[in-house]
Amino acid sequence: MATSIASTCIAALCSFVVLSNVSDARIGSRSATATEELAAMRPAPRPTEARQYPQAEASGALTLGEFEDELAAVRQAPLLTPMRAPRLALATPQGSAPDAVEPVSVPVMLGRPPVEAVPRPQIGVEVVQVARNLTTARALALPTPSVRPEAIIARAVPIVPETPGAEGAPEAAPSVLLAAVSPRPALRPEGLADRFPVRATPGRADPGIQVARAVEPEEEITLARYEDPGRPSLLGPRAGSNPCSSRLADIPRRRGSAPSGSAVMASLGNGSGSGRDNAIVAQALSGNVPDFLRDLQPVSFTGIAGGRQTEITICVTPDYLAIGSDADHVRVPLGLPAALRVADGFDMMLPTTRMVDAIYAQADLRLSPSPMTPGPQMSSTDYFLRHDATVDAQFARAGGRGGILVAGHKKDVVIANRLSRAPGRVAIYGWHRSNGNPIQPLSTVHGEYYADYSHGIRLVSRTAYVNGRAIDLRSLLTDGQYASLLNDDGPLNSTTVRLAALQ
């Protein structure tokens, strides 16, 4: 049994060895075949060509180490004259054998290059020759500076320089070279300053230097709110042709049978409110207004819009809205709804606060405010008439005439973006004092139907001019570039446009 098992194991082991050898032989043959295939696929290597170097003249050779030592010696003791250094040997291949070299030499120059002297200029040579040949007699014969005339020395006042020394030391004689002979301006006549006095400006300190003036300076005039240099100019000149005309306002012609202003106001009684406003609006829309209100006046604004200098001109009524004829008329305050109805009927609009400032600044006549006793009676028709009579008296004393631009005697009903935050209110602004500051800042305290004697309705044409080109003023007030020239709080928002009936 044991013999059978042993023989079986030996036979199995021999079979395993035989099979392993056969397998290794097959794998080795396949690997060799794959290697031969890859080698056949590779391109054949290009033959290497020997690189050719330029030939140099053969000379005595020097090894690299010896050359470096020579350079170090030169650096330690630089030479001022040019010298020729040994030649450096370079290996240059010859033929096809890469190891076959023949020493060659390259000339190396050490030290500074030679410097050639610049020839002396010919004029310098001549000067040197003259100086060498100059004798004492010739030198004395050369021209010398002339002597100062005796008369000038006698007239001169000598200046004695201050020389520090001991007390009692003798003073040195003054030198005529330090004489004060330079011309000096004559003194100003004593009475000249008295003959040309300079008037001091009120409110200013006296100047340290008085400057002669050909004429007396004009009195200073302070205008309202123009101290900010960033604001657009409201003081443009009104010279030249008037671009505004009565055709820019759709105001009906006044009938010959229309009642006078005093008759209309007498028929209203002493009431107030919307009933009186409706009667006044009816008279205005029928054309019962003075003829001079149809003569619109230009007011200009200048500033930067869209990156360039721009001038905008608006056309405004010369005075506040009035009922009646040129000879008999009454300025009539109105609530906001009534004022908007008249403005829309005339194809006009209410001004902004900046327009009110510009109108006052460019007015031909500025009247001072005339306040009356405050109280509930401020809205009565009687107060309207009394205050209008006061304004007429001021106008007559100033020599005014109908049709000139006049301002300062009323507050203005205006349009402002604040109305969008205060619905049902009226916006009031203006009534400038003689110093240019308005009594009434922008206010929306009162209801939209409120009106008192101090209010006025100034109307502005809806046609404006931008650099001479006609354009709708409403589009300018809603434009981001141009609105800042015409309105203090920028473009009018959509709510304000609807409240102001500008659509």
Side-chain angles (χ1 to χ4, degrees):
M1 178 65 69
T3 303
S4 300
I5 294 173
S7 61
T8 303
C9 291
I10 293 172
L13 179 61
C14 292
S15 300
F16 175 77
V17 171
V18 171
L19 292 176
S20 298
N21 293 335
V22 172
S23 176
D24 291 342
R26 294 181 62 185
I27 292 174
S29 62
R30 287 198 300 267
S31 300
T33 304
T35 303
E36 293 176 358
E37 292 178 356
L38 291 176
M41 294 174 61
R42 292 194 184 98
R46 299 176 58 183
T48 303
E49 297 179 0
R51 181 175 297 178
Q52 299 295 328
Y53 293 91
Q55 300 294 329
E57 181 183 358
S59 180
L62 181 68
T63 62
L64 184 59
E66 295 175 356
F67 180 73
E68 291 180 351
D69 294 340
E70 184 68 20
L71 290 181
V74 172
R75 284 196 298 269
Q76 293 175 2
L79 299 178
L80 300 181
T81 58
M83 61 175 294
R84 181 174 298 276
R87 299 175 179 268
L88 175 64
L90 298 178
T92 304
Q94 296 289 341
S96 59
D99 296 332
V101 296
E102 181 180 348
V104 297
S105 61
V106 178
V108 179
M109 297 299 296
L110 301 179
R112 298 181 181 179
V115 178
E116 297 181 2
V118 179
R120 177 176 295 176
Q122 184 64 26
I123 185 173
V125 176
E126 296 176 357
V127 171
V128 172
Q129 292 176 356
V130 171
R132 288 176 179 175
N133 300 329
L134 185 63
T135 61
T136 305
R138 289 182 179 180
L140 294 177
L142 293 176
T144 58
S146 59
V147 182
R148 183 189 297 269
E150 297 294 336
I152 296 180
I153 299 177
R155 293 196 307 267
V157 179
I159 300 176
V160 180
E162 297 181 2
T163 304
E167 295 183 2
E171 297 182 357
S175 172
V176 295
L177 298 178
L178 300 177
V181 296
S182 301
R184 285 174 170 77
L187 297 177
R188 182 188 296 270
E190 295 182 358
L192 183 61
D194 298 333
R195 293 199 303 270
F196 297 95
V198 179
R199 187 180 67 177
T201 305
R204 295 185 180 179
D206 293 335
I209 300 177
Q210 293 184 348
V211 181
R213 300 177 185 269
V215 294
E216 291 291 336
E218 296 182 357
E219 235 177 65
E220 289 186 325
I221 299 177
T222 304
L223 300 179
R225 302 173 58 192
Y226 301 136
E227 66 278 359
D228 184 3
R231 291 170 58 89
S233 173
L234 307 180
L235 302 176
R238 299 183 60 208
S241 60
N242 184 358
C244 305
S245 67
S246 59
R247 293 178 297 177
L248 298 180
D250 190 13
I251 303 177
R253 295 185 59 182
R254 186 175 185 272
R255 299 191 304 269
S257 59
S260 62
S262 57
V264 172
M265 300 306 291
S267 64
L268 297 177
N270 201 28
S272 62
S274 58
R276 182 182 60 194
D277 285 356
N278 291 335
I280 294 175
V281 169
Q283 291 292 325
L285 294 181
S286 66
N288 189 13
V289 298
D291 289 336
F292 65 79
L293 285 181
R294 295 171 172 83
D295 299 331
L296 304 184
Q297 299 298 311
V299 175
S300 298
F301 304 79
T302 57
I304 302 298
R308 62 177 182 175
Q309 189 71 17
T310 303
E311 180 181 24
I312 300 178
T313 301
I314 61 174
C315 300
V316 303
T317 54
D319 203 342
Y320 294 101
L321 178 65
I323 298 298
S325 63
D326 287 352
D328 186 356
H329 58 271
V330 179
R331 298 171 185 85
V332 287
L334 292 172
L336 179 59
L340 293 176
R341 287 164 56 194
V342 174
D344 188 64
F346 291 170
D347 195 24
M348 304 182 81
M349 58 182 293
L350 297 176
T352 65
T353 55
R354 184 165 292 179
M355 292 180 186
V356 174
D357 289 338
I359 291 170
Y360 181 81
Q362 301 180 35
D364 299 316
L365 177 61
R366 303 171 190 169
L367 301 178
S368 299
S370 298
M372 299 176 67
T373 304
Q377 67 276 17
M378 290 169 34
S379 298
S380 65
T381 305
D382 179 61
Y383 254 50
F384 289 4
L385 294 172
R386 289 168 56 188
H387 187 263
D388 188 71
T390 302
V391 172
D392 283 341
Q394 290 180 286
F395 196 79
R397 287 196 300 270
R401 56 178 178 81
I404 65 172
L405 186 61
V406 59
H409 50 300
K410 291 281 188 179
K411 302 175 185 178
D412 282 81
V413 178
V414 298
I415 54 175
N417 282 326
R418 191 182 298 183
L419 289 173
S420 62
R421 303 187 298 270
R425 301 299 180 95
V426 61
I428 307 297
Y429 174 80
W431 215 10
H432 292 74
R433 299 183 180 92
S434 57
N435 62 2
N437 297 321
I439 293 177
Q440 178 64 67
L442 179 62
S443 172
T444 55
V445 173
H446 299 291
E448 61 182 356
Y449 291 99
Y450 178 81
D452 64 39
Y453 75 95
S454 65
H455 296 181
I457 308 301
R458 176 92 65 175
L459 299 177
V460 183
S461 173
R462 291 179 178 175
T463 300
Y465 296 92
V466 178
N467 295 330
R469 181 171 59 91
I471 195 169
D472 194 323
L473 179 58
R474 295 170 294 182
S475 64
L476 296 178
L477 288 172
T478 56
D479 185 87
Q481 294 182 352
Y482 296 97
S484 59
L485 299 180
L486 302 171
N487 191 24
D488 283 325
D489 51 359
L492 297 179
N493 55 48
S494 57
T495 305
T496 304
V497 169
R498 288 194 300 271
L499 291 174
L502 297 179
Q503 290 182 336

